[in-house]
């Protein structure tokens, strides 16, 4: 559905909403196809965008399911949850480090792991069975199953990057892992953001043993695997790379790749502004987003460089 279709949907909003309702009530609703495209964020990601018609249904499903499942999630799950997010996750990591290291008086270790090809590998049958533990209504399960069946990376597997429901389904699926690590393995200092997670501990050997138990749980219960090249164990004094920041004992820095990407993006946006391809408002919004990110770490010099590159050094941002 293109821009014109969106406008037509909004123009006949009430009529379209009633039609969706009737189709759902009579179970005549059929999920449409997806528009596929790529974005770099910073990795190249394959996005599948549903029609406006289907996105209305997705949001309705999300609004009902989110409060039901969110209260069962562990506190230290930070992706796509109200009142959470990257900055709160990094703040929490710093608090964990200070507490476990006794204010940096002793050395501790951080185990960082990543689930391999998570969204492509989600087993939809397993996910639906997890959802059924809380959702007993047959009509709701019919609709959820219809949404899950609207996309597959391979038979029976995969969630589309682009659906608002996919983020919630991801948290429902990985909450099984959270419960295993927090309660089954009795791990206190654990944080997860989407398919990346960190465990802190004082014994490196114990952390390595945990990777085997976690790997076995993922494979046996969720049909997932840890990424073999992204299981990293390091001392906290070396710096912990998490969500774009490097957390060090006494300060927080921006990851080098993030710095380079920010500078490149500001230059690109500046060129677009100079050539009239983007508005001043859009340019300022992009600039402020980076300045906001740098405000959460020791990034004052980089803030000055970004403002200078933007050409707006003498103008109020």
């Amino acid at each position: 559905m293109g821009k014109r279709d969106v406008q037509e949907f909004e123009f006949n909003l009430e009529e379209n909403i009633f039609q969706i309702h009737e189709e759902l009530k009579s179970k005549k609703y059929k999920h449409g196809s997806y528009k596929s495209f790529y974005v770099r964020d910073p990795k190249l990601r394959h996005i599948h965008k549903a029609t406006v018609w289907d996105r209305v249904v997705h949001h309705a499903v999300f609004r009902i399911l989110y409060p039901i499942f969110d209260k069962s999630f562990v506190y230290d799950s930070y992706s796509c949850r109200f009142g959470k997010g990257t900055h709160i996750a990094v703040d929490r990591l710093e608090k964990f480090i200070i507490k476990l290291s006794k204010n940096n008086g002793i050395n501790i270790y951080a185990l960082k792991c990543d689930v391999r090809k998570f969204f492509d590998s989600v087993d939809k049958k397993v996910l639906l069975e997890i959802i059924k533990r809380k959702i007993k209504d047959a009509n709701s399960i019919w609709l959820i199953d219809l949404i899950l069946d609207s996309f597959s990376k391979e038979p029976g597997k995969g969630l589309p990057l682009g659906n608002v429901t996919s983020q919630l389904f991801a948290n429902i699926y990985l909450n099984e892992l959270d419960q295993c690590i927090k309660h089954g393995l009795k791990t206190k200092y654990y944080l997860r953001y989407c398919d990346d997670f960190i465990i802190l501990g004082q014994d490196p050997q114990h952390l390595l043993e945990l990777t085997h138990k976690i790997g076995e749980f993922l494979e046996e219960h969720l049909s997932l695997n840890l990424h073999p090249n992204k299981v990293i164990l390091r001392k906290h004094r070396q710096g912990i790379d998490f969500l774009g920041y490097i957390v060090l004992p006494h300060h927080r820095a921006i990851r080098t790749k993030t710095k380079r990407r920010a500078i490149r993006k500001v230059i690109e946006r500046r060129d677009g502004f100079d050539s009239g391809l983007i508005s001043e408002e859009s340019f300022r919004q992009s600039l402020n987003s980076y300045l906001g990110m740098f405000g959460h770490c020791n990034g004052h010099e980089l803030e000055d460089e970004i403002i200078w590159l933007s050409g707006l050094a003498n103008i109020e941002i």
Side-chain angles (χ1 to χ4, degrees):
M1 188 175 284
K3 184 176 181 180
R4 182 178 176 182
D5 297 314
V6 173
Q7 292 172 341
E8 290 176 355
F9 185 94
E10 292 175 345
F11 181 77
N12 299 304
L13 182 60
E14 184 176 357
E15 179 183 334
N16 288 325
I17 292 295
F18 276 115
Q19 187 175 341
I20 291 174
H21 176 262
E22 287 301 319
E23 287 188 7
L24 291 171
K25 189 176 179 180
S26 63
K27 291 190 177 179
K28 292 180 180 179
Y29 169 75
K30 302 292 183 183
H31 198 289
S33 59
Y34 289 88
K35 180 181 179 181
S36 172
F37 58 93
Y38 290 89
V39 298
R40 192 170 290 279
D41 182 38
K43 295 187 297 184
L44 190 66
R45 299 185 186 277
H46 195 186
I47 306 298
H48 290 82
K49 184 178 179 180
T51 65
V52 174
W53 193 275
D54 292 321
R55 295 206 302 274
V56 169
V57 175
H58 296 169
H59 278 277
V61 170
F62 177 88
R63 284 167 63 90
I64 298 299
L65 294 186
Y66 179 87
I68 295 173
F69 284 93
D70 186 72
K71 59 187 177 184
S72 68
F73 295 160
V74 300
Y75 181 86
D76 289 303
S77 163
Y78 291 90
S79 175
C80 301
R81 296 179 67 192
F82 300 139
K84 300 288 184 175
T86 57
H87 297 138
I88 293 176
V90 177
D91 289 343
R92 179 75 162 172
L93 175 60
E94 287 186 331
K95 290 177 182 177
F96 277 174
I97 291 170
I98 290 170
K99 185 174 182 179
L100 187 60
S101 68
K102 303 186 186 303
N103 202 22
N104 295 306
I106 62 174
N107 200 35
I108 63 172
Y109 296 81
L111 173 68
K112 183 181 176 185
C113 300
D114 177 282
V115 179
R116 186 174 182 270
K117 295 184 177 179
F118 169 68
F119 279 93
D120 289 347
S121 304
V122 170
D123 188 312
K124 291 185 285 188
K125 183 178 179 181
V126 173
L127 173 59
L128 192 62
E129 289 303 313
I130 295 170
I131 292 173
K132 284 180 179 179
R133 295 177 197 165
K134 289 187 177 293
I135 306 300
K136 305 300 182 182
D137 179 69
N139 291 327
S140 298
I141 292 299
W142 167 80
L143 179 55
I144 293 167
D145 192 26
L146 200 64
I147 293 172
L148 290 176
D149 199 42
S150 68
F151 173 89
S152 289
K153 190 67 177 179
E154 58 181 85
K157 291 195 174 185
L159 295 176
L161 286 173
N163 283 4
V164 66
T165 50
S166 292
Q167 304 298 333
L168 177 58
F169 291 154
N171 275 335
I172 292 171
Y173 204 68
L174 287 177
N175 183 54
E176 301 295 301
L177 172 66
D178 298 338
Q179 299 295 337
C180 169
I181 294 176
K182 289 288 291 184
H183 304 299
L185 299 177
K186 302 187 184 303
T187 301
K188 185 176 182 180
Y189 299 101
Y190 164 79
L191 309 95
R192 180 179 64 80
Y193 189 94
C194 197
D195 55 351
D196 292 326
F197 61 90
I198 284 182
I199 301 174
L200 300 179
Q202 296 176 348
D203 182 356
Q205 187 58 40
H206 174 66
L207 292 176
L208 288 175
E209 290 171 1
L210 285 179
T211 62
H212 298 297
K213 294 178 181 179
I214 292 169
E216 288 176 359
F217 176 85
L218 285 171
E219 187 172 352
E220 292 175 9
H221 296 274
L222 299 176
S223 299
L224 299 173
N225 295 283
L226 292 176
H227 197 302
N229 299 327
K230 294 184 179 180
V231 175
I232 301 169
L233 180 67
R234 60 190 295 138
K235 296 177 181 178
H236 85 286
R237 292 194 176 105
Q238 294 175 288
I240 302 173
D241 186 341
F242 190 48
L243 302 178
Y245 296 97
I246 306 296
V247 180
L248 293 149
H250 300 290
H251 72 283
R252 187 190 305 178
I254 286 283
R255 183 190 293 161
T256 300
K257 287 183 179 179
T258 304
K259 292 179 186 178
R260 292 172 180 166
R261 186 170 69 253
I263 291 171
R264 184 180 70 252
K265 287 291 185 181
V266 168
I267 293 173
E268 289 175 358
R269 299 292 285 177
R270 177 70 207 195
D271 290 343
F273 171 58
D274 288 341
S275 61
L277 296 176
I278 62 173
S279 66
E280 181 177 335
E281 180 183 2
S282 177
F283 178 50
R284 286 178 182 274
Q285 287 175 348
S286 298
L287 184 62
N288 283 329
S289 68
Y290 284 112
L291 294 177
M293 180 174 61
F294 303 146
H296 288 271
C297 67
N298 292 21
H300 302 301
E301 291 183 3
L302 188 54
E303 285 183 32
D304 293 340
E305 183 177 357
I306 290 293
I307 292 174
W308 180 81
L309 286 170
S310 73
L312 299 176
N314 298 318
I315 304 176
E316 183 179 353
I317 303 299

